[in-house]
Amino acid sequence: MPIHTPSSKGELRQSKVSKKMFSNLARSPIYIVLDDLKSAFNVGSIFRLADALLVSKLYLCGRTLSPPNHKIKTTSRGTERWVPWEHRSSTIDTIKELKKAGVYILCAELSADSIDYKKITPSFPACLVLGREYDGISSEVLDLADCIVSLPIFGMTNSLNVATTASVLLYELHQVINKQ
Ligand SMILES: C[S@@+](CC[C@H](N)C(=O)[O-])C[C@H]1O[C@@H](n2cnc3c(N)ncnc32)[C@H](O)[C@@H]1O
């Protein structure tokens, strides 16, 4: 379903629905799983992104910090009020449950089996799994992926910030949905 993209800040403000109507908006067939994220600031940034793209649900798994948390609020800009979210103790059980419901699992990680983000062919609904700062996604979780997706790194660093990764990949998925 193509979504109209407002062309200016003014048009964007005009297009906002009331708080009451907001809960009736069709959400994007995208889920996000955060696997043990350490930084509250990253969690908040991903909340803000999930709101911008009307993601269906954000799962905060394992040790990932959850609202209410003042550091999350700093970067989320309060979007935890608008994004459906849930804390789950097990990332593996959450992914197994989503798979059983027919959700395509995309794990974001640089690995020998990774596919470049421009070459992925996901089906929807899809779930983007993002890993812990420093450690990345556990091998048990990677084993459940339908696809491991990566963003190319040309410089000296080994990885990108997890919220930056989420931004690029979620807008890419949004574009794939709009082209369908
Ligand atoms: C900072 S990285 C984890 C550390 C990384 N495994 C390393 O060895 O440097 C945190 C998370 O961001 C995502 N990520 C970072 N860079 C990525 C890339 N280039 N491609 C895909 N995912 C990436 C992954 O989900 C990863 O688990």
Side-chain angles (χ1 to χ4, degrees), residues 108-110 130-132 134 136-137 149-151 153 159-160 162 165:
E109 202 61 76
L110 264 173
L130 296 147
R132 186 174 175 83
Y134 309 112
I137 300 175
V149 56
S150 65
L151 295 169
I153 304 271
S159 64
L160 292 165
V162 64
T165 304

Side-chain angles (χ1 to χ4, degrees), residues 46-154:
I46 294 169
F47 260 109
R48 193 168 174 185
L49 189 59
D51 173 62
L53 289 172
L54 287 176
V55 159
S56 286
K57 193 160 181 175
L58 173 57
Y59 290 96
L60 309 174
C61 296
R63 292 171 287 171
T64 305
L65 293 169
S66 301
N69 175 300
H70 74 279
K71 286 183 184 165
I72 290 179
K73 210 172 172 187
T74 309
T75 48
S76 72
R77 300 282 288 261
T79 46
E80 58 273 29
R81 281 179 295 160
W82 311 115
V83 177
W85 69 271
E86 193 181 336
H87 179 265
R88 292 284 187 92
S89 53
S90 165
T91 306
I92 290 180
D93 290 350
T94 305
I95 293 175
K96 281 185 178 166
E97 189 184 308
L98 289 167
K99 272 177 91 91
K100 214 170 165 185
V103 177
Y104 184 93
I105 307 295
L106 276 156
C107 283
E109 202 61 76
L110 264 173
S111 83
D113 303 323
S114 298
I115 298 175
D116 183 274
Y117 79 114
K118 284 290 177 191
K119 294 183 181 150
I120 56 170
T121 52
S123 61
F124 293 94
C127 173
L128 180 65
V129 184
L130 296 147
R132 186 174 175 83
E133 305 86 347
Y134 309 112
D135 309 293
I137 300 175
S138 70
S139 54
E140 292 86 350
V141 171
L142 286 177
D143 284 345
L144 296 171
D146 292 303
C147 166
I148 304 176
V149 56
S150 65
L151 295 169
I153 304 271
F154 302 109

Side-chain angles (χ1 to χ4, degrees), residues 17-24:
V17 296
S18 66
K19 289 177 183 172
K20 205 172 154 195
M21 291 298 289
F22 183 74
S23 59
N24 298 328

